[in-house]
Each structure stands twice: as structure tokens, then as C-alpha cells.
Amino acid sequence: MHEPPFDPSRRALIKQCVIGGVAVYSAPLLLMANPGAKNAAPGGAPVGWRNLDESVAPGFRYDAVAKVCGEKIFSRDYRARDMFGWPNQQHYGLVLRAPRADAVYEGLDLGDLSDEIKPYRVVSAEDLGSHKLHLPPYYGDHMLVKPGAPPDFMGHPVAILLFDDFVKYKRAKSDLQFNPSALRFGRSVTPTYTRKDPYASWRIIREQGASPGAPDQYSTLKDGLFFPDIVNHRPQWNASPDKNGNTAERGMYYANKLREDIASGNDYVLKQRYQTQSVEPMSMEPEAFNGWLDSGNATLHVVICSQSPQDFHRQAGGMLAKSPLTTGIKNLVVHTPYIGGGFGGKDHTIFPYYGVLASLFSEAPIRVANDRFQQFQSGLKRHPFIMDNQLAIDRESLKITGLVSDMTLDGGGRVNFSPSVTSVGATAIQSIYYLPRSDVRATCYPSDMPTAGSMRGYGTLQTMAAMEMMINQSAADLNVDTFKLRRVNAMRPGQPNAQGALPNGDVRYVEMLDVAEQHPIWQQREGNKKKFEQAHPGWRYGVGFGIASKDYGTGAQAPSALVEVTPEGRIHVKNCSVEMGTGTETSQATLVARYLGKRADTVSMAETQLFDAMELLETDDPYLMSQETQDKHSKDPHWTPVIAMASSASQSAYYQSHATAQAARILFEQALFPAAVAILKEHYFNSAYAVPDFDDISLASWSQGGLTIAGNIPLALERIVARAREMDLPLGVMVHTFNRWAWAEAEFVINGNNCNYPVDAIALKYAKGTQHNLNKFNFQVANRLSVNYPRVALNNAFVTYYTPCATLAEIAVNAGDGTVKVLRAHTWLEPGTVHVEKLVEGQIEGGLAMGVGHALHEYLPSGNEGAGDGTWNLNRYQVPLAKHVGVWNIKHTLIPPSASTDPAKGIAEVVMIPIVSALVEAIYQATGKRFYHLPVSAEDIMEAFQ
Amino acid sequence: MANLSLHINDQAVGPVEIAPEVTMIEFLHEYLNLTGTKFGCGIGVCHACVIIVENDDGTLATERSCISNALMFNGKRVRTIEGHATRNQNDQVIALHPAQQAFIEHFAFQCGWCTPGFLNETIALVDRLKRNPVPKASLETVIEEALSEHICRCTGYVKYYEAIKDLIESTEHTTI
């Protein structure tokens, strides 16, 4: 077909950045000419998704109609013929991966392929070398295994085979995928990971103040961090303990003293090892890629499947910029459709870069798509933990006196999110409890397993579930009520976390415990056990409780948003999050109603490139920069610590909502409200004779009829917008925000007035643009007079935002085969302000199911039988089915916010945590056997019975 | 190579020359560009790929398209997720199937990847119940049995099952 020249403006592409001479463009979802996409959001919002009555919930999800009609909206759906301007021909790429890492790879053997199904091109490590092609530095090196060297890990790619026809590809794949002779291996070797240093090693020490309310004697927030020496690839904490020494020496003093006191004291001490498994995110859409190198126009077009497109833009641009082969590529166009589930498995995934590599050598658009075996073999996993924990409790007061934990994590073959998962897991172990003294060491090691990433739970699932198991066992050992023990030790407002930082917002753990304790599942458990076991011979009944408080955020969140109102009164929201199925799109559309009187008409996601209009720049790593650096750069009104962030469900609810809400608020305060006041003055008030009394913005509110101010007539949005346009007020507001456990706040000049907002950049869109100092993006960047960023020392707080959640689980264990049946589960969640209750409910139910899988069913072994061997699929890996979760009896209670001004909190992840310890405890109550590893399988239970 | 002719969503398709080992989902995706049917596991476990076969006697059966050879469907009438809603001449949806409506009103799905399989199984179930109504009291068990193998990673199944139950209860002649 005729190829139109590359013309970003005609295609409405948005330039994001220029990396090493490669201009990176983002193409909004469904930009491509796709007749099947007519009913998909955001190309056209489905009629009726939002109720016209804004006081009730949306009728259905924004993306609902597209999803029930099978529209082409997911990354994996797109073929070359769907893509505007691409040739129709579709090629196919097959990534071959090493199923072992204990021998030297000697090369491919394609002898089993007949000539007609041989690939037309094999992309190998030799090609990487000759063209100086490398992975982006984030992922390390050795993109493909070199013949003569061992794979770094099981599942390490060795080559990409390119085919010009689907049937050839299918037949070749069939011949090669499970064929042990397709990849030749030589002599056995010691796996390479044994010669690598840890991916991360952290130590979080705290000793509370000498008296109540006194400053901590030692904490990471107060004293900073220190790190070990790495000797023989193992951390050694060699600093000499010294109470009056430097950070490391003082830390070692308090750490050693705590360990000695626990060992020699009279407190009750539970000393136990806990172990968790490798888990597959198992998002239902396996990863896929489509790409076309349009050499004639020096442009690489890609369709990626990613939770973090912003990261891909930068990393891929950098990858292309550094190879002589790709110096001719001037443009990279990135399409980011919906993804079929993420759970962290598609955040900073390495997969798209193999697609990019295939595209460089392909003769036509090329599709690279994992099947489920390949996804198990190559996709990101949840980190397995081994925790050696010691929990000390005063026998009289029942107060925790100290916690020691030594954690090791398996990070798999490449370093991905391991450093932060390690630190977050380490800090999370305290769960809801106040720890006066603690010493947590956590080290993540490389291995020959598939890479572990930021899968849902992020370390906290592993460590908090273990803490709850300890609390349950301690209560039994001390012969005290488990709720009482929790209540005694639950954090109260004003108490710092194990890093010495105060949690943001109210701390309502005791309230949640009080409510949960009264539930019939708990209150009637003894009677129910008798009744159930009498009625069901061969079954054992048990009830367990768990509670957790999941942090959310990264300490460097940077969401952006644009909110616009058209002359017709239509509201458009654009933001930088990715819709993964959690309903972010729907909630973002809903939350603007607070300021604009109705839900948005359209929402466009993954739009980070758009936000170039704010002309921001970043310079340093936000986690590593000094206060001096931050202070210096803050004087530049274009500077921000971080321009863009990756997307995850738990982050969108709070962080993205803040940006969207602030954009709507500024639009209201700077345009709609002044315009409404002007209308009232002109038409409904004797302005010539008196000073109006309705210019108090706190008196404005939206009703069915429009905006009312202090008893004046309601003004329709369309009328207000028309007046705002006449007044040349900004009807499009773009904001960038930054959060390091507190929001950045800045002073701007808008409409000639100084104003403060909790954002660090604002760009405005005007109807009469020519009268403003517009930039090339047709926005006016609001002059930032000053900015207050949270101090860099807050990085040492690690986390301060939490969402609490508790679960009661009622189960029955089959004494004949060890299977566990969930009879009922009740979850309490404090989600803050709820944007769309149905979405929160769905997150609760889905989170609970994932927790059931983690506790009872899901397991990937380490060693040569692990997922990297390429033979894993759902026939061997049990994702919870409806029958496993007690589908008709999953209930919940949402703890209402303290006030309507409470923010929305991160939600999805936390629900999966307390169910884990609740189930393990319920199994103990049913069987009398405690388990310390996950999952607790039917075989484990049968062994216990014997 | 072999020829395949069939009806998909009331449209005659073929004859199309295909390789004999091509599966039905591959045929839908790579030959017809109908990508609404979703690939999940490729081995018939997750049921995301379930499609409907309209039998000659008017009954509906479901098949897993990822493990079914495309040629198995030669001469048959097949319905996929693209074929349930009523569309206008511009291919825009003007009315949803009651099962689709129930799913969206209950917020049944999240990412939506497993939705085609759940939807097709539900439509076949309702059709079966219309022919063979079941006691209302057994409805939950009937739903569990019909949908038991369908995997969803996002939702915990609750809202799917509630939607299906509501759909059946509001459909005449499905329960006694």
C-alpha cells in the first residue's frame, strides 16, 4: 500500500522527548484507523456509561461496552493491517530462550526445520555485537546469550527468529519450542549468578526515645542510612558498634544491643523462619509487541504492552540512539493500548525491547507475542522471601518490645525492581504495630530464576503476612486473645513507624479491630465449629484473622493531568496513568464532578507526552540527590525532581487523583467561578448600587441546575463557559505534581494574581491564545514564583501513606485429601474517599482471590524445575478458581472516611495481604498444625495430619 | 492445505485455504482479524478463548478455540464476542445482548481479557436453561458448574457470578 510520509502533526501524535537525536512520539490509543473501535473509550465515550444524575454512581465502566463487544483495544489485538500507514504484511518473531543456566550455550540447531519453514533471519548475539546494540542500562547487558557462554539465568533469550508467514512461524515454533536439541549446550558450569553481588542490601534500625514523646535515639529518618561491605558477594555489616559514632557505628550499636537484649531478656520471644514462594502475575493477556521500521521515513513504530510507557519512551529512545545501525532512525512512535491485566508484571518489563530488536531486522511489520509457556518462562515474578524473625513481647503488658528480622530475597536473573521491593518489604514488616525497637536486614540476591519485579504485594505481602502469623502464634503461646494482643500493640496517631516517620493521616487500626472482632464469623466460631464438624464428617473447621496496613507510593510520584471544558460544556480529562482494568479511567472521570459539576465526557490515559507543554526538566535521581542540589534546582521554575511516573493501581487512586482533582480545582477557581460571579453581577444583582456578596468561593456549589452561589440562580456550565471565554479565562488546565510522602506546593501567577496550589507546574489553555505568551504547545506556562518540595531527608522515611485492611476467613479442611474450602470471608477496608464504589468492591474481591492463591495454591519452584525451564502453564500452576474463593460468600465492609475531604487511598494490593495470614491461622485452628511457608498445599496439610 | 467454510456471526466465511494444524483462535486472529476472542493459556485450561457453536437443532455449545482445530468448524455456525450486540450500518453498537448488559451493569469484569469466554459461556448457559429450566434454589450451583473452569485474575469472580445470577433470574422460563 502507499506509505504516507511521516507527519506527526497530521497524525495528531504528541512528541514526548528527544533522546540522543531520536524524537519519541506517543500515539493515543485507537488513533489508528480501526473500524472496530467505534465503541471504545476514549475514541468515543459509550453512551450511557455515566448517569446523567451526577449524585449517583456511573452506570457502568467507561470502557465497558468496548470490552463486552470484543473491540480491538488491547495491545495484543493489533496486527499490521490495523495500524494506519503500516504495510498490511505481518511478519512474526519467535524468541528462543535457554531452559537452563548450568551449561555453556553452544548455539542454535535449526536442523529439525524443513527448508520451507526456516526463518528468513536469525537475530543473535553476534548481531548485537556487530551493531553495538545493547539493552537499556536499567536491564543490564547480555540481551542475547553468546555462543560459548552460559546463560545468565533460565529463560535467558538466545535468539529471535523472523518469519514472513504465520504458518511458517507456527510450524517452526511447534518444532522448536520443547525440542531439547534446538539449543545446543556444552560443558556444565557453575551458574553465573553465584559470582554476582546482591542486587540490594538494606538495614532499617530504630530505637525509640528514652522517654515517651522524646526524639528517637536512632532511626533512618533522623540518622540516615548506611550500607554493608560486600565480601564474596555477601553483605557484611562491619561497622564497629559505637553509641557516639557515625551513622553506621551508632546503628550497629543499637542493632547489636537489641539482638543481645532479645537473646538474654525475659520477654516472650517467638523465633521463627518464614518462607514465601515465587509467584507468576498471570495477567490474562500474555505480553505482545508489534513493530515496524519505516526506513523510508526514518521512523520506528511500535505497539507495546506496558504499565510504564513513559519509561519505555526514554529507555527505547536511548537504546536506538546508541547503535550505528539505528542512527538513521529519527522518530519512535509508541502506541500504548489497554493491557489485559498488569499486577506489576508489565511494569518495566524487558519484553518490548526484544520486539524493538526484532523490528530492526525485520523486512516488514513484525509481531512478537508470548504464548503462556513463554510468559511463564520470561515474565516478571513476585520475589520469594526467606525471613528469620524474632518478635519479643513483654509478658505482662503484652507490648512488643522489639523485632529483629533477617530477610533474603530471590531477585532472579536480572535486577529489576529488586532494590525497592527489598526496602519496602523490610519496612513493611511492622504492619499495624508500633515497634519501639527494631532491626531489619534485607538482602536481595541474584539467581538463575526468571527476573522478579514489582508484582502486586511489592514485598509487603510477604513480610506483613509473616508478621501476622507471628502475632497469631504469639497470642496462642501467651494465652491471650488475639484481638487484645493486636489492640495493645496497634499504632496510635502520633507514633512513628519503624523508620521514625509519622504516617500521614489518621491511624484507625483500633477502630478496625473493634469492628472486626464483633463479626459473627469471629463471635460464633466455637459454636459454628461444633455444628459444622458434626454436620460434615471428615471436615475440620477453622477461623482465622489477619490485618495489614499497606503502604502505597514510591516517594517520587509525579502524576500529571489536563482538564479542559469545551464551549459546549463537554469535559475532557487527560492523564498519564494506564488503564489496567482497575477502572482508573472511570474514577478519574468521576472525581472532577466535585469541581465541575459533572463527570468528564471523555478520558484519555497514558498521555504523558502531552505534558511536555509544561516544559519541565529533571536532573538528578530523586532518591539520591542532596538537599543542596534540590534547593539549587528549585530556583529554576522549570525544574522538577521527576517528570513522569509508572502506573499502578494502588498509585492511581491517590496520586493520579490528586493531579486530576487539582487541575479541575484550578479550572474552577480561575475560570468558572470568576465567570459565574461576572454573570451574576451583570444580570442578577444591582451592581451599580452595592458590592456583591456572592464572590466567596466557599459558597459555591453544583446542583442539578448548575452552579449556585449563595442562593443565586443556578448557572448552567455552558453559560459559564461562554462567559469565561469572553473574559479570556483559562478553560484548559494542566498540572504536574510531585509527592515525596508529602505534596510539593508552589506559588504561581495566574490571571495576574498570585496563588498557591499543591502542584509544581501549571500550564493553561486559552480560547484567545494569541493574547497570551503561548509556547509551541499552545499553552501558557504559569509563572512559578517559588516552590516547596518535601525535603530529601524524607526519602529515609521510605513510606508514610498506608491503607489498612483486615480479613476474617472461615474455612473447612478436608481431612481426607487436605483441600481447603473457603466458606466465608469478610474484609474490612479503609479506602478513604471512594470515587466509584463498584470499582473498589471489585478490587477487594479480586485482591482477596489473589491472596487465596498466594496462601494456598500458587507456586513456582526454584532450581531446574522452575518457570524458566519453559514448560510451565496453567495445567501446572493453579490460579484460584471461583470454587477456591467461596465466591458467593465474599463480603466486605468499607470503613467510612473520617470526613468528606479524606483523600482516596491505594486499594487493590492491601486486600490480598490479611487473607493470607487469616487462612494460615484458620488452617491451624482446623488442624492444630502451624505452617511457616507458602503456599500451604493440600499435600502439606495431609503430611500434618499424618 | 484445506478449505474451510463456515458462518461466523451470521456472515458466510470462506472457503479459505488454511494449513490443517491452524487452531480456531489462530484462524479468527490471523486470517479474519477478529481478535475479540482472547488467547489465555493455549492449552484449554483458562477458557478465555471460548466461542459458541450454534447447533443444527438450535442449541448452543461452547468450544475452546485455542485447542480446537479450525477445520473442526467447517460447515458450522459460530458466534464470537463480536457477534452478540446489535450494530447499525456504521458498525456502531445500538443494543447490547442481555448478557452483555448484565455484565456491564454489575461491573463484572476489570481488565476484560477473560470477558469473552465468560460471556459466551453465560449465553450458552441461559439458552440451555430456557430449554431445561432448573429450580431457582439450585441456581448458584448451576452457575458454579457451568463457569467453574473459567479463570479470571482480576475480579475474584463475585461480580461475574452475581451478574449471571441476576441475568438468569430476570430471563423468563429459565427457572422453575
Side-chain angles (χ1 to χ4, degrees):
Chain A
M1 68 182 283
H2 173 68
E3 303 307 330
F6 179 73
D7 179 356
S9 62
R10 189 173 61 78
R11 295 184 194 185
L13 302 178
I14 302 149
K15 189 172 175 182
Q16 193 229 3
C17 52
V18 177
I19 306 286
V22 180
V24 183
Y25 294 85
S26 171
L29 171 64
L30 307 177
L31 174 65
M32 51 293 277
N34 172 21
K38 289 190 173 59
N39 305 293
V47 176
W49 79 270
R50 59 189 185 88
N51 281 309
L52 292 178
D53 181 354
E54 305 293 343
S55 65
V56 300
F60 46 87
R61 294 171 60 99
Y62 187 83
D63 52 11
V65 174
K67 287 182 173 175
V68 290
C69 290
E71 305 284 14
K72 253 181 210 297
I73 54 172
F74 295 102
S75 302
R76 198 177 173 96
D77 293 343
Y78 290 97
R79 304 297 190 276
R81 73 175 95 168
D82 301 314
M83 306 301 294
F84 180 79
W86 290 27
N88 276 342
Q89 193 181 9
Q90 180 71 72
H91 286 193
Y92 298 85
L94 172 62
V95 180
L96 293 179
R97 299 179 175 94
R100 55 190 293 194
D102 58 356
V104 171
Y105 169 65
E106 294 188 332
L108 277 181
D109 184 349
L110 302 182
D112 286 351
L113 300 184
S114 60
D115 287 345
E116 60 268 25
I117 62 170
K118 279 201 159 51
Y120 69 79
R121 182 74 160 83
V122 175
V123 183
S124 66
E126 191 174 274
D127 293 305
L128 300 178
S130 59
H131 294 292
K132 296 187 168 57
L133 280 162
H134 298 279
L135 279 168
Y138 176 83
Y139 298 93
D141 206 352
H142 302 170
M143 189 172 191
L144 298 170
V145 184
K146 270 186 194 169
D152 290 339
F153 52 93
M154 294 165 63
H156 195 161
V158 301
I160 309 176
L161 281 52
L162 311 185
F163 301 87
D164 60 7
D165 172 83
F166 176 72
V167 173
K168 290 180 189 174
Y169 158 80
K170 177 180 170 62
R171 289 177 172 167
K173 183 178 173 218
S174 176
D175 287 349
L176 298 174
Q177 188 169 16
F178 304 110
N179 182 348
S181 64
L183 307 183
R184 289 184 285 109
F185 287 92
R187 63 185 168 83
S188 296
V189 294
T190 303
T192 57
Y193 75 86
T194 59
R195 299 188 293 278
K196 292 180 182 174
D197 287 345
Y199 292 152
S201 195
W202 301 92
R203 191 156 193 170
I204 315 293
I205 301 165
R206 178 170 175 268
E207 177 89 18
Q208 72 177 8
S211 59
D216 287 344
Q217 297 185 62
Y218 188 91
S219 71
T220 55
L221 181 62
K222 175 172 162 285
D223 294 90
L225 286 161
F226 66 99
F227 296 94
D229 299 325
I230 303 298
V231 180
N232 294 326
H233 314 298
R234 291 288 183 271
Q236 290 191 2
W237 301 91
N238 289 327
S240 301
D242 181 353
K243 190 177 181 181
N244 300 310
N246 59 28
T247 294
E249 291 161 349
R250 295 184 67 241
M252 290 302 298
Y253 169 81
Y254 287 109
N256 287 357
K257 188 164 188 312
L258 171 60
R259 288 172 185 257
E260 289 163 11
D261 288 350
I262 286 179
S264 61
N266 294 320
D267 290 343
Y268 161 83
V269 177
L270 175 59
K271 186 174 183 181
Q272 185 63 50
R273 168 170 285 197
Y274 296 85
Q275 198 160 354
T276 72
Q277 75 278 40
S278 173
V279 164
E280 162 67 35
M282 242 315 290
S283 55
M284 291 297 288
E285 178 196 26
E287 291 182 86
F289 170 96
N290 216 327
W292 173 48
L293 177 55
D294 176 8
S295 301
N297 291 301
T299 301
L300 177 63
H301 304 260
V302 299
V303 183
I304 61 169
C305 181
S306 173
Q307 283 174 251
S308 48
Q310 306 92 329
D311 175 72
F312 177 82
H313 296 154
R314 290 154 194 266
Q315 304 269 21
M319 179 180 172
L320 295 175
K322 289 178 181 166
S323 165
L325 177 70
T326 54
T327 50
I329 297 175
K330 299 301 177 195
N331 308 294
L332 171 64
V333 180
V334 183
H335 299 260
T336 311
Y338 287 167
I339 57 173
F343 315 117
K346 293 170 181 168
D347 184 358
H348 286 64
T349 166
I350 200 171
F351 185 85
Y353 302 99
Y354 289 93
V356 168
L357 181 62
S359 303
L360 301 178
F361 294 93
S362 177
E363 296 170 359
I366 188 147
R367 182 168 190 265
V368 184
N370 273 349
D371 67 17
R372 186 58 64 186
F373 290 104
Q374 294 167 319
Q375 188 63 37
F376 267 93
Q377 186 178 27
S378 64
L380 294 168
K381 303 291 183 281
R382 179 180 291 148
H383 288 77
F385 274 58
I386 296 173
M387 293 158 274
D388 289 310
N389 295 342
Q390 298 178 63
L391 178 67
I393 299 174
D394 181 89
R395 296 173 191 273
E396 295 300 318
S397 68
L398 298 179
K399 287 192 172 179
I400 295 171
T401 53
L403 173 79
V404 164
S405 180
D406 295 315
M407 305 176 179
T408 58
L409 294 74
D410 181 347
R414 292 186 184 279
V415 60
N416 190 273
F417 271 100
S418 287
S420 59
V421 170
T422 307
S423 69
V424 171
T427 56
I429 190 169
Q430 80 170 106
S431 190
I432 70 159
Y433 306 106
Y434 176 69
L435 305 178
R437 306 171 73 190
S438 52
D439 175 25
V440 181
R441 296 188 297 201
T443 301
C444 183
Y445 292 99
S447 77
D448 55 0
M449 295 293 101
T451 301
S454 65
M455 189 186 163
R456 189 188 260 185
Y458 214 94
T460 68
L461 165 70
Q462 297 91 323
T463 63
M464 273 196 277
M467 181 58 142
E468 281 300 286
M469 292 181 213
M470 289 195 289
I471 292 291
N472 282 326
Q473 181 168 350
S474 300
D477 291 351
L478 292 166
N479 196 27
V480 298
D481 177 78
T482 185
F483 279 92
K484 181 180 180 184
L485 182 60
R486 286 180 166 91
R487 208 176 278 114
V488 165
N489 288 289
M491 288 179 75
R492 266 59 171 190
Q495 288 184 321
N497 62 20
Q499 302 85 260
L502 292 170
N504 289 44
D506 198 358
V507 178
R508 301 169 65 188
Y509 305 144
V510 173
E511 177 185 346
M512 186 172 278
L513 289 167
D514 290 345
V515 174
E517 189 180 18
Q518 297 308 314
H519 194 276
I521 292 179
W522 184 254
Q523 291 295 325
Q524 299 165 9
R525 64 191 186 286
E526 290 177 8
N528 285 343
K529 182 175 175 69
K530 285 179 190 161
K531 278 189 239 169
F532 184 89
E533 293 183 351
Q534 281 174 0
H536 301 85
W539 289 83
R540 309 281 177 84
Y541 176 99
V543 167
F545 176 75
I547 188 167
S549 188
K550 171 80 179 72
D551 65 278
Y552 55 95
T554 63
Q557 299 287 156
S560 297
L562 168 64
V563 178
E564 295 179 275
V565 188
T566 70
E568 299 76 30
R570 289 174 61 80
I571 299 170
H572 301 305
V573 170
K574 297 181 180 181
N575 66 42
C576 61
S577 291
V578 175
E579 177 58 79
M580 296 171 290
T582 52
T584 303
E585 209 164 36
T586 309
S587 62
Q588 296 298 305
T590 298
L591 65 88
V592 299
R594 175 179 170 191
Y595 295 105
L596 307 182
K598 67 169 192 171
R599 299 185 179 100
D601 294 275
T602 67
V603 182
S604 185
M605 311 285 286
E607 288 272 15
T608 53
Q609 308 74 19
L610 178 69
F611 302 113
D612 272 11
M614 287 179 279
E615 299 180 334
L616 288 167
L617 62 91
E618 64 184 26
T619 54
D620 298 73
D621 186 317
Y623 298 106
L624 302 178
M625 76 173 68
S626 67
Q627 188 62 45
E628 292 72 25
T629 300
Q630 177 167 296
D631 292 344
K632 183 183 77 174
H633 289 307
S634 296
K635 292 170 185 162
D636 180 344
H638 293 284
W639 184 81
T640 185
V642 178
I643 290 177
M645 70 175 195
S647 189
S648 76
S650 295
Q651 290 169 19
S652 66
Y654 177 70
Y655 295 101
Q656 184 62 64
S657 296
H658 174 83
T660 304
Q662 289 305 318
R665 171 191 169 191
I666 295 168
L667 196 156
F668 176 72
E669 292 182 355
Q670 300 295 335
L672 301 186
F673 181 77
V677 169
I679 293 170
L680 294 177
K681 279 184 185 174
E682 290 154 8
H683 300 286
Y684 303 101
F685 185 73
N686 300 307
S687 299
Y689 306 97
V691 176
D693 58 0
F694 44 77
D695 55 357
D696 180 351
I697 200 165
S698 68
L699 301 177
S701 68
W702 292 94
S703 66
Q704 286 293 322
L707 183 67
T708 62
I709 308 174
N712 280 283
I713 69 159
L715 299 172
L717 179 62
E718 293 83 346
R719 186 179 180 188
I720 299 171
V721 170
R723 187 68 186 97
R725 289 172 64 84
E726 288 171 7
M727 296 165 71
D728 199 22
L729 298 173
L731 289 167
V733 175
M734 179 185 288
V735 302
H736 178 275
T737 59
F738 176 75
N739 185 295
R740 183 190 284 129
W741 311 118
W743 291 105
E745 183 185 61
E747 183 178 14
F748 300 90
V749 179
I750 300 177
N751 299 335
N753 301 317
N754 290 13
C755 43
N756 285 70
Y757 287 107
V759 305
D760 69 342
I762 299 173
L764 305 164
K765 204 176 202 177
Y766 291 89
K768 300 172 188 173
T770 53
Q771 296 180 20
H772 299 275
N773 183 24
L774 301 186
N775 61 19
K776 62 183 177 181
F777 304 99
N778 289 319
F779 278 81
Q780 181 199 60
V781 176
N783 187 20
R784 188 172 86 189
L785 300 175
S786 64
V787 63
N788 286 314
Y789 287 110
R791 293 183 67 78
V792 298
L794 266 177
N795 280 323
N796 295 334
F798 287 88
V799 290
T800 64
Y801 292 110
Y802 298 94
T803 307
C805 179
T807 299
L808 270 172
E810 178 190 53
I811 63 149
V813 178
N814 186 323
D817 63 10
T819 55
V820 175
K821 187 178 177 68
V822 178
L823 302 174
R824 288 188 289 173
H826 196 104
T827 294
W828 290 262
L829 178 72
E830 193 216 319
T833 293
V834 171
H835 297 315
V836 182
E837 188 161 340
K838 287 280 188 189
L839 295 174
V840 174
E841 290 175 359
Q843 292 290 293
I844 290 171
E845 292 150 4
L848 188 107
M850 196 174 268
V852 170
H854 185 81
L856 302 178
H857 302 290
E858 299 185 46
Y859 174 71
L860 290 168
S862 57
N864 291 340
E865 304 290 314
D869 77 357
T871 66
W872 282 82
N873 202 326
L874 293 177
N875 58 331
R876 303 168 64 191
Y877 186 89
Q878 183 67 64
V879 170
L881 299 169
K883 67 181 179 185
H884 294 129
V885 301
V887 63
W888 301 108
N889 296 305
I890 295 177
K891 307 297 179 193
H892 65 268
T893 300
L894 297 181
I895 305 288
S898 302
S900 61
T901 52
D902 282 13
K905 299 182 176 184
I907 45 174
E909 284 180 296
V910 69
V911 186
M912 67 182 300
I913 301 172
I915 181 65
V916 173
S917 49
L919 286 170
V920 174
E921 175 64 14
I923 291 170
Y924 168 72
Q925 295 297 338
T927 66
K929 170 69 178 175
R930 290 203 182 276
F931 293 93
Y932 304 103
H933 67 272
L934 299 174
V936 181
S937 68
E939 292 75 22
D940 294 330
I941 292 172
M942 285 311 294
E943 278 182 27
F945 277 137
Q946 291 157 10
Chain B
M1 303 298 271
N3 282 326
L4 172 61
S5 298
L6 73 169
H7 279 76
I8 298 177
N9 302 329
D10 298 324
Q11 301 286 316
V13 174
V16 181
E17 188 176 67
I18 65 167
E21 66 267 47
V22 168
T23 62
M24 187 59 179
I25 196 170
E26 291 168 343
F27 178 67
L28 292 170
H29 287 182
E30 309 302 333
Y31 289 74
L32 304 183
N33 202 23
L34 283 175
T35 52
T37 302
K38 296 307 183 202
F39 177 92
C41 66
I43 56 171
V45 175
C46 78
H47 291 232
C49 66
V50 159
I51 58 172
I52 292 174
V53 177
E54 299 167 356
N55 295 322
D56 292 341
D57 63 1
T59 59
L60 304 181
T62 55
E63 295 286 352
R64 288 163 286 175
S65 61
C66 77
I67 54 168
S68 302
N69 193 287
L71 292 171
M72 275 175 49
F73 298 86
N74 193 40
K76 295 193 173 178
R77 300 183 68 84
V78 165
R79 192 162 293 276
T80 68
I81 190 171
E82 290 96 339
H84 295 306
T86 306
R87 294 170 186 261
N88 64 15
Q89 289 180 329
N90 296 323
D91 203 30
Q92 291 174 312
V93 171
I94 54 174
L96 294 177
H97 186 285
Q100 291 172 312
Q101 195 67 35
F103 276 24
I104 70 170
E105 288 177 0
H106 281 265
F107 287 66
F109 50 85
Q110 291 177 26
C111 87
W113 196 259
C114 63
T115 303
F118 272 91
L119 190 70
N120 286 329
E121 201 74 72
T122 299
I123 289 171
L125 171 63
V126 174
D127 179 76
R128 193 161 71 243
L129 295 180
K130 282 182 183 172
R131 297 166 198 278
N132 299 293
V134 296
K136 206 168 181 177
S138 69
L139 211 45
E140 291 185 357
T141 305
V142 167
I143 294 168
E144 283 181 50
E145 288 173 354
L147 278 298
S148 63
E149 301 299 321
H150 285 255
I151 289 179
C152 173
R153 188 57 153 168
C154 299
T155 68
Y157 305 95
V158 177
K159 289 185 170 24
Y160 267 131
Y161 277 45
E162 288 174 348
I164 296 165
K165 189 177 179 188
D166 189 32
L167 171 69
I168 294 170
E169 287 177 338
S170 61
T171 304
E172 290 185 346
H173 311 306
T174 53
T175 56
I176 50 179

